[in-house]
Short mmCIF file of all heavy atoms in Angstrom, two decimals:
data_model
loop_
_atom_site.label_atom_id
_atom_site.label_comp_id
_atom_site.label_asym_id
_atom_site.label_seq_id
_atom_site.Cartn_x
_atom_site.Cartn_y
_atom_site.Cartn_z
N THR A 1 101.10 96.44 94.20
CA THR A 1 100.96 95.97 95.57
C THR A 1 100.70 94.46 95.54
O THR A 1 99.88 94.00 94.77
CB THR A 1 99.80 96.69 96.28
OG1 THR A 1 100.02 98.09 96.21
CG2 THR A 1 99.67 96.25 97.71
N MET A 2 101.38 93.73 96.41
CA MET A 2 101.20 92.29 96.50
C MET A 2 100.12 91.97 97.53
O MET A 2 100.07 92.59 98.59
CB MET A 2 102.50 91.62 96.93
CG MET A 2 103.64 91.91 95.99
SD MET A 2 103.41 91.08 94.44
CE MET A 2 104.92 90.23 94.30
N VAL A 3 99.25 91.03 97.18
CA VAL A 3 98.21 90.57 98.11
C VAL A 3 98.19 89.05 98.08
O VAL A 3 98.73 88.43 97.17
CB VAL A 3 96.81 91.12 97.73
CG1 VAL A 3 96.77 92.64 97.88
CG2 VAL A 3 96.41 90.73 96.33
N THR A 4 97.57 88.45 99.11
CA THR A 4 97.45 86.99 99.13
C THR A 4 95.98 86.60 98.97
O THR A 4 95.51 86.50 97.85
CB THR A 4 98.06 86.40 100.41
OG1 THR A 4 97.52 87.07 101.55
CG2 THR A 4 99.57 86.53 100.41
N ASN A 5 95.26 86.41 100.05
CA ASN A 5 93.87 85.96 99.95
C ASN A 5 92.84 87.03 100.28
O ASN A 5 91.65 86.76 100.27
CB ASN A 5 93.65 84.74 100.85
CG ASN A 5 94.37 83.53 100.31
OD1 ASN A 5 94.46 83.33 99.11
ND2 ASN A 5 94.90 82.71 101.20
N SER A 6 93.30 88.24 100.60
CA SER A 6 92.35 89.32 100.86
C SER A 6 92.97 90.66 100.51
O SER A 6 94.18 90.83 100.49
CB SER A 6 91.89 89.31 102.31
OG SER A 6 92.96 89.60 103.18
N ILE A 7 92.08 91.60 100.20
CA ILE A 7 92.49 92.99 99.94
C ILE A 7 91.94 93.81 101.09
O ILE A 7 90.74 93.78 101.36
CB ILE A 7 91.89 93.49 98.61
CG1 ILE A 7 92.34 92.61 97.44
CG2 ILE A 7 92.26 94.95 98.38
CD1 ILE A 7 91.57 92.89 96.15
N ILE A 8 92.81 94.53 101.77
CA ILE A 8 92.38 95.41 102.85
C ILE A 8 92.54 96.84 102.35
O ILE A 8 93.63 97.24 101.93
CB ILE A 8 93.21 95.17 104.13
CG1 ILE A 8 93.01 93.73 104.60
CG2 ILE A 8 92.81 96.16 105.22
CD1 ILE A 8 93.91 93.31 105.72
N THR A 9 91.46 97.59 102.38
CA THR A 9 91.49 98.95 101.85
C THR A 9 90.66 99.88 102.73
O THR A 9 89.70 99.45 103.36
CB THR A 9 91.01 98.98 100.38
OG1 THR A 9 91.20 100.30 99.87
CG2 THR A 9 89.56 98.58 100.24
N ASN A 10 91.05 101.13 102.78
CA ASN A 10 90.33 102.16 103.52
C ASN A 10 89.67 103.12 102.54
O ASN A 10 90.30 103.53 101.57
CB ASN A 10 91.28 102.96 104.42
CG ASN A 10 91.79 102.13 105.57
OD1 ASN A 10 91.03 101.59 106.34
ND2 ASN A 10 93.11 102.03 105.67
N VAL A 11 88.41 103.46 102.80
CA VAL A 11 87.72 104.46 102.00
C VAL A 11 87.11 105.50 102.92
O VAL A 11 86.81 105.22 104.07
CB VAL A 11 86.63 103.81 101.10
CG1 VAL A 11 87.26 102.94 100.03
CG2 VAL A 11 85.62 103.01 101.90
N ASP A 12 86.95 106.73 102.40
CA ASP A 12 86.44 107.82 103.23
C ASP A 12 84.93 108.01 103.10
O ASP A 12 84.37 108.90 103.73
CB ASP A 12 87.19 109.12 102.96
CG ASP A 12 87.12 109.53 101.50
OD1 ASP A 12 86.43 108.87 100.71
OD2 ASP A 12 87.77 110.53 101.15
N ARG A 13 84.28 107.18 102.27
CA ARG A 13 82.82 107.22 102.17
C ARG A 13 82.34 105.89 101.59
O ARG A 13 83.12 105.16 100.99
CB ARG A 13 82.35 108.39 101.31
CG ARG A 13 82.74 108.31 99.86
CD ARG A 13 82.20 109.48 99.06
NE ARG A 13 82.71 110.75 99.51
CZ ARG A 13 83.72 111.40 98.97
NH1 ARG A 13 84.34 110.89 97.93
NH2 ARG A 13 84.12 112.55 99.44
N ASP A 14 81.08 105.58 101.78
CA ASP A 14 80.52 104.35 101.23
C ASP A 14 80.62 104.38 99.70
O ASP A 14 80.39 105.42 99.08
CB ASP A 14 79.04 104.20 101.63
CG ASP A 14 78.86 103.98 103.13
OD1 ASP A 14 79.87 103.91 103.85
OD2 ASP A 14 77.71 103.88 103.57
N CYS A 15 80.96 103.24 99.11
CA CYS A 15 81.09 103.17 97.66
C CYS A 15 80.96 101.71 97.21
O CYS A 15 80.86 100.80 98.03
CB CYS A 15 82.42 103.76 97.21
SG CYS A 15 83.85 103.00 97.98
N ASN A 16 80.95 101.51 95.92
CA ASN A 16 80.87 100.17 95.34
C ASN A 16 82.24 99.79 94.81
O ASN A 16 83.05 100.64 94.46
CB ASN A 16 79.86 100.14 94.20
CG ASN A 16 78.46 100.43 94.68
OD1 ASN A 16 78.00 99.88 95.66
ND2 ASN A 16 77.76 101.31 93.99
N TYR A 17 82.48 98.47 94.72
CA TYR A 17 83.75 98.00 94.16
C TYR A 17 83.51 96.83 93.22
O TYR A 17 82.48 96.16 93.26
CB TYR A 17 84.73 97.59 95.26
CG TYR A 17 84.39 96.28 95.94
CD1 TYR A 17 84.85 95.08 95.42
CD2 TYR A 17 83.60 96.24 97.07
CE1 TYR A 17 84.53 93.87 96.02
CE2 TYR A 17 83.28 95.05 97.68
CZ TYR A 17 83.75 93.87 97.15
OH TYR A 17 83.42 92.68 97.74
N GLN A 18 84.49 96.61 92.35
CA GLN A 18 84.55 95.43 91.48
C GLN A 18 85.96 94.88 91.55
O GLN A 18 86.93 95.65 91.60
CB GLN A 18 84.25 95.79 90.03
CG GLN A 18 82.86 96.30 89.77
CD GLN A 18 82.68 96.70 88.30
OE1 GLN A 18 83.61 97.17 87.66
NE2 GLN A 18 81.47 96.51 87.80
N VAL A 19 86.07 93.56 91.56
CA VAL A 19 87.37 92.89 91.46
C VAL A 19 87.38 92.19 90.11
O VAL A 19 86.47 91.43 89.78
CB VAL A 19 87.56 91.86 92.61
CG1 VAL A 19 88.89 91.14 92.44
CG2 VAL A 19 87.50 92.55 93.97
N LEU A 20 88.42 92.49 89.30
CA LEU A 20 88.55 91.92 87.96
C LEU A 20 89.87 91.18 87.84
O LEU A 20 90.85 91.53 88.52
CB LEU A 20 88.48 93.03 86.91
CG LEU A 20 87.25 93.92 87.01
CD1 LEU A 20 87.66 95.33 87.38
CD2 LEU A 20 86.48 93.93 85.73
N ASP A 21 89.91 90.20 86.94
CA ASP A 21 91.19 89.54 86.68
C ASP A 21 91.95 90.32 85.61
O ASP A 21 91.49 91.37 85.15
CB ASP A 21 90.99 88.06 86.31
CG ASP A 21 90.31 87.84 84.97
OD1 ASP A 21 90.13 88.80 84.20
OD2 ASP A 21 89.93 86.68 84.70
N GLY A 22 93.10 89.82 85.24
CA GLY A 22 93.96 90.53 84.29
C GLY A 22 93.36 90.71 82.91
O GLY A 22 93.77 91.59 82.17
N THR A 23 92.34 89.90 82.57
CA THR A 23 91.69 90.03 81.26
C THR A 23 90.47 90.94 81.32
O THR A 23 89.81 91.16 80.31
CB THR A 23 91.25 88.65 80.72
OG1 THR A 23 90.23 88.11 81.57
CG2 THR A 23 92.42 87.69 80.65
N GLY A 24 90.15 91.46 82.51
CA GLY A 24 89.00 92.33 82.66
C GLY A 24 87.72 91.60 83.04
O GLY A 24 86.67 92.21 83.12
N ARG A 25 87.82 90.28 83.28
CA ARG A 25 86.64 89.49 83.65
C ARG A 25 86.26 89.80 85.10
O ARG A 25 87.11 89.80 85.99
CB ARG A 25 86.94 88.00 83.50
CG ARG A 25 85.75 87.11 83.78
CD ARG A 25 86.08 85.67 83.42
NE ARG A 25 87.23 85.18 84.14
CZ ARG A 25 87.17 84.42 85.24
NH1 ARG A 25 86.01 84.04 85.72
NH2 ARG A 25 88.27 84.01 85.83
N LEU A 26 84.98 90.09 85.32
CA LEU A 26 84.48 90.42 86.65
C LEU A 26 84.51 89.18 87.54
O LEU A 26 83.92 88.15 87.21
CB LEU A 26 83.06 90.97 86.57
CG LEU A 26 82.40 91.36 87.88
CD1 LEU A 26 83.13 92.53 88.52
CD2 LEU A 26 80.94 91.69 87.66
N LEU A 27 85.22 89.27 88.67
CA LEU A 27 85.30 88.16 89.62
C LEU A 27 84.31 88.34 90.76
O LEU A 27 83.74 87.37 91.26
CB LEU A 27 86.72 88.04 90.18
CG LEU A 27 87.83 87.82 89.15
CD1 LEU A 27 89.18 87.82 89.84
CD2 LEU A 27 87.60 86.52 88.40
N GLN A 28 84.15 89.57 91.21
CA GLN A 28 83.20 89.84 92.28
C GLN A 28 82.93 91.32 92.36
O GLN A 28 83.67 92.14 91.84
CB GLN A 28 83.71 89.25 93.60
CG GLN A 28 84.35 90.15 94.59
CD GLN A 28 84.97 89.40 95.76
OE1 GLN A 28 85.72 88.45 95.57
NE2 GLN A 28 84.69 89.82 96.94
N ARG A 29 81.81 91.65 93.00
CA ARG A 29 81.45 93.05 93.21
C ARG A 29 80.77 93.15 94.56
O ARG A 29 80.31 92.16 95.11
CB ARG A 29 80.54 93.56 92.11
CG ARG A 29 79.17 92.90 92.07
CD ARG A 29 78.24 93.50 91.09
NE ARG A 29 78.84 93.54 89.77
CZ ARG A 29 78.25 93.96 88.69
NH1 ARG A 29 77.01 94.37 88.73
NH2 ARG A 29 78.85 93.97 87.53
N GLY A 30 80.73 94.38 95.07
CA GLY A 30 80.09 94.57 96.37
C GLY A 30 80.13 96.02 96.79
O GLY A 30 80.45 96.91 96.00
N LYS A 31 79.82 96.23 98.05
CA LYS A 31 79.80 97.58 98.63
C LYS A 31 80.85 97.68 99.72
O LYS A 31 81.08 96.72 100.44
CB LYS A 31 78.43 97.88 99.22
CG LYS A 31 77.33 97.98 98.18
CD LYS A 31 76.01 98.41 98.82
CE LYS A 31 74.91 98.45 97.80
NZ LYS A 31 74.91 99.64 97.00
N MET A 32 81.48 98.84 99.79
CA MET A 32 82.41 99.14 100.88
C MET A 32 81.79 100.22 101.75
O MET A 32 81.07 101.08 101.24
CB MET A 32 83.75 99.61 100.33
CG MET A 32 84.55 98.50 99.70
SD MET A 32 86.27 98.94 99.45
CE MET A 32 86.17 99.76 97.88
N VAL A 33 82.08 100.15 103.03
CA VAL A 33 81.60 101.15 103.98
C VAL A 33 82.76 102.05 104.38
O VAL A 33 83.92 101.68 104.23
CB VAL A 33 80.95 100.50 105.22
CG1 VAL A 33 79.70 99.72 104.82
CG2 VAL A 33 81.93 99.60 105.94
N THR A 34 82.44 103.21 104.90
CA THR A 34 83.46 104.14 105.36
C THR A 34 84.37 103.46 106.37
O THR A 34 83.90 102.81 107.29
CB THR A 34 82.80 105.38 105.99
OG1 THR A 34 81.93 105.97 105.03
CG2 THR A 34 83.83 106.39 106.45
N GLY A 35 85.68 103.59 106.17
CA GLY A 35 86.64 102.97 107.07
C GLY A 35 87.37 101.82 106.39
O GLY A 35 87.54 101.80 105.17
N THR A 36 87.79 100.83 107.18
CA THR A 36 88.56 99.70 106.69
C THR A 36 87.65 98.60 106.18
O THR A 36 86.67 98.24 106.82
CB THR A 36 89.46 99.15 107.82
OG1 THR A 36 90.30 100.20 108.29
CG2 THR A 36 90.32 98.01 107.32
N ASN A 37 87.97 98.07 105.00
CA ASN A 37 87.21 97.00 104.37
C ASN A 37 88.15 95.86 104.02
O ASN A 37 89.29 96.08 103.62
CB ASN A 37 86.53 97.50 103.09
CG ASN A 37 85.48 98.54 103.39
OD1 ASN A 37 84.33 98.22 103.55
ND2 ASN A 37 85.89 99.80 103.46
N ASN A 38 87.66 94.62 104.16
CA ASN A 38 88.43 93.43 103.85
C ASN A 38 87.68 92.67 102.76
O ASN A 38 86.57 92.20 102.98
CB ASN A 38 88.58 92.57 105.11
CG ASN A 38 89.52 91.41 104.92
OD1 ASN A 38 89.93 91.11 103.81
ND2 ASN A 38 89.85 90.74 106.00
N ILE A 39 88.28 92.55 101.57
CA ILE A 39 87.66 91.87 100.44
C ILE A 39 88.35 90.53 100.25
O ILE A 39 89.56 90.47 100.00
CB ILE A 39 87.79 92.72 99.16
CG1 ILE A 39 87.14 94.10 99.38
CG2 ILE A 39 87.17 92.00 97.97
CD1 ILE A 39 87.46 95.10 98.29
N ASP A 40 87.59 89.45 100.38
CA ASP A 40 88.14 88.09 100.25
C ASP A 40 88.32 87.74 98.77
O ASP A 40 87.37 87.77 97.99
CB ASP A 40 87.18 87.10 100.92
CG ASP A 40 87.68 85.67 100.86
OD1 ASP A 40 88.85 85.45 100.50
OD2 ASP A 40 86.90 84.77 101.21
N ILE A 41 89.56 87.42 98.37
CA ILE A 41 89.84 87.03 96.99
C ILE A 41 90.47 85.64 96.95
O ILE A 41 91.25 85.33 96.05
CB ILE A 41 90.72 88.07 96.27
CG1 ILE A 41 92.04 88.29 97.02
CG2 ILE A 41 89.98 89.37 96.04
CD1 ILE A 41 93.10 89.00 96.20
N THR A 42 90.12 84.79 97.92
CA THR A 42 90.69 83.44 97.99
C THR A 42 90.51 82.68 96.69
O THR A 42 91.40 81.96 96.26
CB THR A 42 90.03 82.66 99.16
OG1 THR A 42 90.20 83.42 100.37
CG2 THR A 42 90.65 81.30 99.33
N ASN A 43 89.35 82.81 96.04
CA ASN A 43 89.05 82.04 94.85
C ASN A 43 89.66 82.59 93.57
O ASN A 43 89.58 81.96 92.52
CB ASN A 43 87.53 81.91 94.68
CG ASN A 43 86.91 81.12 95.81
OD1 ASN A 43 87.54 80.23 96.38
ND2 ASN A 43 85.68 81.44 96.15
N ALA A 44 90.25 83.77 93.63
CA ALA A 44 90.87 84.36 92.43
C ALA A 44 92.19 83.66 92.14
O ALA A 44 92.90 83.23 93.05
CB ALA A 44 91.11 85.85 92.65
N GLN A 45 92.51 83.52 90.84
CA GLN A 45 93.78 82.91 90.46
C GLN A 45 94.93 83.86 90.73
O GLN A 45 94.74 85.08 90.80
CB GLN A 45 93.75 82.54 88.98
CG GLN A 45 92.77 81.43 88.67
CD GLN A 45 92.88 81.00 87.22
OE1 GLN A 45 93.67 81.52 86.45
NE2 GLN A 45 92.07 80.02 86.85
N LYS A 46 96.12 83.30 90.86
CA LYS A 46 97.32 84.11 91.07
C LYS A 46 97.58 84.96 89.83
O LYS A 46 97.26 84.56 88.72
CB LYS A 46 98.52 83.22 91.35
CG LYS A 46 98.42 82.51 92.67
CD LYS A 46 99.63 81.64 92.92
CE LYS A 46 99.49 80.94 94.26
NZ LYS A 46 100.66 80.09 94.54
N GLY A 47 98.15 86.13 90.06
CA GLY A 47 98.48 87.03 88.96
C GLY A 47 97.85 88.39 89.16
O GLY A 47 97.55 88.80 90.28
N LEU A 48 97.64 89.09 88.06
CA LEU A 48 97.12 90.46 88.10
C LEU A 48 95.65 90.48 88.54
O LEU A 48 94.83 89.73 88.01
CB LEU A 48 97.25 91.11 86.72
CG LEU A 48 96.73 92.54 86.60
CD1 LEU A 48 97.55 93.49 87.47
CD2 LEU A 48 96.76 92.99 85.16
N ILE A 49 95.35 91.33 89.50
CA ILE A 49 93.99 91.57 89.99
C ILE A 49 93.76 93.08 89.93
O ILE A 49 94.64 93.86 90.32
CB ILE A 49 93.81 91.10 91.45
CG1 ILE A 49 94.07 89.60 91.58
CG2 ILE A 49 92.45 91.48 92.00
CD1 ILE A 49 92.99 88.72 91.04
N LEU A 50 92.61 93.50 89.43
CA LEU A 50 92.26 94.92 89.40
C LEU A 50 91.15 95.18 90.40
O LEU A 50 90.14 94.46 90.41
CB LEU A 50 91.80 95.33 88.00
CG LEU A 50 92.80 95.12 86.87
CD1 LEU A 50 92.15 95.40 85.53
CD2 LEU A 50 94.03 95.98 87.07
N LEU A 51 91.33 96.17 91.25
CA LEU A 51 90.29 96.60 92.18
C LEU A 51 89.78 97.94 91.68
O LEU A 51 90.51 98.93 91.65
CB LEU A 51 90.85 96.74 93.60
CG LEU A 51 89.88 97.34 94.62
CD1 LEU A 51 88.65 96.46 94.80
CD2 LEU A 51 90.58 97.56 95.96
N ARG A 52 88.54 97.97 91.25
CA ARG A 52 87.92 99.20 90.74
C ARG A 52 86.94 99.70 91.79
O ARG A 52 86.01 98.99 92.17
CB ARG A 52 87.21 98.92 89.41
CG ARG A 52 86.71 100.16 88.74
CD ARG A 52 86.27 99.90 87.33
NE ARG A 52 87.44 99.60 86.51
CZ ARG A 52 87.42 98.85 85.42
NH1 ARG A 52 86.30 98.31 85.01
NH2 ARG A 52 88.52 98.65 84.72
N ILE A 53 87.15 100.94 92.25
CA ILE A 53 86.31 101.54 93.28
C ILE A 53 85.50 102.66 92.64
O ILE A 53 86.06 103.58 92.04
CB ILE A 53 87.17 102.09 94.44
CG1 ILE A 53 87.98 100.94 95.06
CG2 ILE A 53 86.30 102.76 95.49
CD1 ILE A 53 89.02 101.39 96.07
N HIS A 54 84.17 102.56 92.76
CA HIS A 54 83.25 103.53 92.17
C HIS A 54 82.72 104.44 93.27
O HIS A 54 81.90 104.02 94.08
CB HIS A 54 82.07 102.83 91.49
CG HIS A 54 82.48 101.87 90.43
ND1 HIS A 54 82.80 102.28 89.16
CD2 HIS A 54 82.64 100.52 90.45
CE1 HIS A 54 83.13 101.21 88.44
NE2 HIS A 54 83.03 100.15 89.20
N GLY A 55 83.17 105.70 93.30
CA GLY A 55 82.66 106.69 94.24
C GLY A 55 81.59 107.53 93.57
O GLY A 55 81.20 107.30 92.43
N ASP A 56 81.11 108.53 94.30
CA ASP A 56 80.07 109.41 93.76
C ASP A 56 80.55 110.18 92.54
O ASP A 56 79.83 110.32 91.55
CB ASP A 56 79.62 110.42 94.83
CG ASP A 56 78.86 109.76 95.96
OD1 ASP A 56 78.27 108.68 95.73
OD2 ASP A 56 78.87 110.31 97.07
N MET A 57 81.77 110.68 92.61
CA MET A 57 82.26 111.58 91.57
C MET A 57 83.37 110.96 90.71
O MET A 57 83.71 111.53 89.68
CB MET A 57 82.80 112.86 92.20
CG MET A 57 81.78 113.58 93.07
SD MET A 57 80.37 114.16 92.13
CE MET A 57 81.02 115.69 91.53
N GLU A 58 83.95 109.84 91.14
CA GLU A 58 85.09 109.31 90.41
C GLU A 58 85.18 107.79 90.55
O GLU A 58 84.59 107.21 91.45
CB GLU A 58 86.40 109.94 90.89
CG GLU A 58 86.73 109.61 92.33
CD GLU A 58 88.00 110.30 92.80
OE1 GLU A 58 88.61 111.04 92.02
OE2 GLU A 58 88.38 110.07 93.95
N THR A 59 85.92 107.20 89.64
CA THR A 59 86.23 105.77 89.69
C THR A 59 87.74 105.63 89.68
O THR A 59 88.42 106.27 88.86
CB THR A 59 85.63 105.04 88.47
OG1 THR A 59 84.21 105.16 88.52
CG2 THR A 59 86.00 103.57 88.48
N THR A 60 88.28 104.84 90.59
CA THR A 60 89.72 104.59 90.63
C THR A 60 89.96 103.09 90.46
O THR A 60 89.13 102.27 90.85
CB THR A 60 90.35 105.07 91.95
OG1 THR A 60 89.73 104.38 93.04
CG2 THR A 60 90.17 106.55 92.15
N THR A 61 91.09 102.78 89.85
CA THR A 61 91.46 101.38 89.66
C THR A 61 92.85 101.17 90.23
O THR A 61 93.76 101.94 89.96
CB THR A 61 91.46 101.01 88.16
OG1 THR A 61 90.16 101.28 87.62
CG2 THR A 61 91.81 99.55 87.95
N GLN A 62 92.97 100.12 91.06
CA GLN A 62 94.26 99.76 91.64
C GLN A 62 94.70 98.44 91.05
O GLN A 62 93.92 97.49 90.96
CB GLN A 62 94.16 99.63 93.16
CG GLN A 62 93.75 100.89 93.85
CD GLN A 62 93.56 100.69 95.35
OE1 GLN A 62 93.82 99.63 95.88
NE2 GLN A 62 93.10 101.74 96.02
N LYS A 63 95.96 98.36 90.62
CA LYS A 63 96.52 97.11 90.10
C LYS A 63 97.22 96.39 91.26
O LYS A 63 98.05 96.98 91.96
CB LYS A 63 97.53 97.40 89.00
CG LYS A 63 96.91 97.95 87.75
CD LYS A 63 97.94 98.16 86.68
CE LYS A 63 97.32 98.76 85.44
NZ LYS A 63 98.30 99.02 84.38
N LEU A 64 96.84 95.13 91.45
CA LEU A 64 97.39 94.32 92.52
C LEU A 64 97.91 93.01 91.94
O LEU A 64 97.42 92.55 90.90
CB LEU A 64 96.30 94.02 93.56
CG LEU A 64 95.53 95.24 94.09
CD1 LEU A 64 94.30 94.78 94.85
CD2 LEU A 64 96.41 96.08 94.97
N ILE A 65 98.86 92.40 92.62
CA ILE A 65 99.37 91.09 92.21
C ILE A 65 99.03 90.10 93.31
O ILE A 65 99.45 90.26 94.45
CB ILE A 65 100.91 91.12 92.00
CG1 ILE A 65 101.30 92.18 90.98
CG2 ILE A 65 101.42 89.73 91.60
CD1 ILE A 65 100.84 91.93 89.58
N LYS A 66 98.26 89.07 92.95
CA LYS A 66 97.94 88.03 93.92
C LYS A 66 99.03 86.97 93.86
O LYS A 66 99.35 86.45 92.81
CB LYS A 66 96.58 87.39 93.64
CG LYS A 66 96.27 86.34 94.70
CD LYS A 66 94.95 85.70 94.53
CE LYS A 66 94.80 84.68 95.66
NZ LYS A 66 93.71 83.78 95.44
N GLN A 67 99.56 86.65 95.04
CA GLN A 67 100.62 85.63 95.13
C GLN A 67 100.03 84.28 95.40
O GLN A 67 99.02 84.13 96.03
CB GLN A 67 101.60 85.97 96.23
CG GLN A 67 102.38 87.24 95.93
CD GLN A 67 103.40 87.53 96.99
OE1 GLN A 67 103.15 87.40 98.18
NE2 GLN A 67 104.58 87.94 96.56
#
C-alpha cells in the first residue's frame, strides 16, 4: 500500500502500534482507539515503512511504501 505523510487505519478495539523503517528501526509508537486512526509519518524517509499493530491476542504487521 502506498502512503504519503500519514497512515489511516481502522481497528476494532484499542491497541498499541509501532512504525518501523525498512531496517526495523523504531520510528514511533503509540496507541490506537477503536475506529479510524490517523498516524502522522511526515518525518519518516521515503521507502519501506512497517506498521506493527499489537492487539490483545495477536500482532499484525503491514508493509507500506512511503512516497
Side-chain angles (χ1 to χ4, degrees):
T1 304
M2 302 290 234
V3 295
T4 51
N5 290 324
S6 65
I7 301 169
I8 299 172
T9 186
N10 290 304
V11 293
D12 58 4
R13 66 178 62 98
D14 294 358
C15 56
N16 296 313
Y17 74 88
Q18 295 177 327
V19 177
L20 306 114
D21 68 10
T23 66
R25 184 172 58 100
L26 180 66
L27 301 176
Q28 101 188 50
R29 66 174 54 177
K31 293 185 182 280
M32 288 195 274
V33 295
T34 303
T36 302
N37 294 267
N38 187 351
I39 302 168
D40 182 11
I41 57 164
T42 304
N43 295 329
Q45 293 186 359
K46 292 180 180 180
L48 179 65
I49 299 286
L50 301 173
L51 173 63
R52 187 169 291 153
I53 301 171
H54 302 279
D56 291 334
M57 303 296 276
E58 64 182 1
T59 298
T60 59
T61 302
Q62 299 176 5
K63 292 182 182 178
L64 309 167
I65 303 294
K66 181 178 180 194
Q67 294 183 318

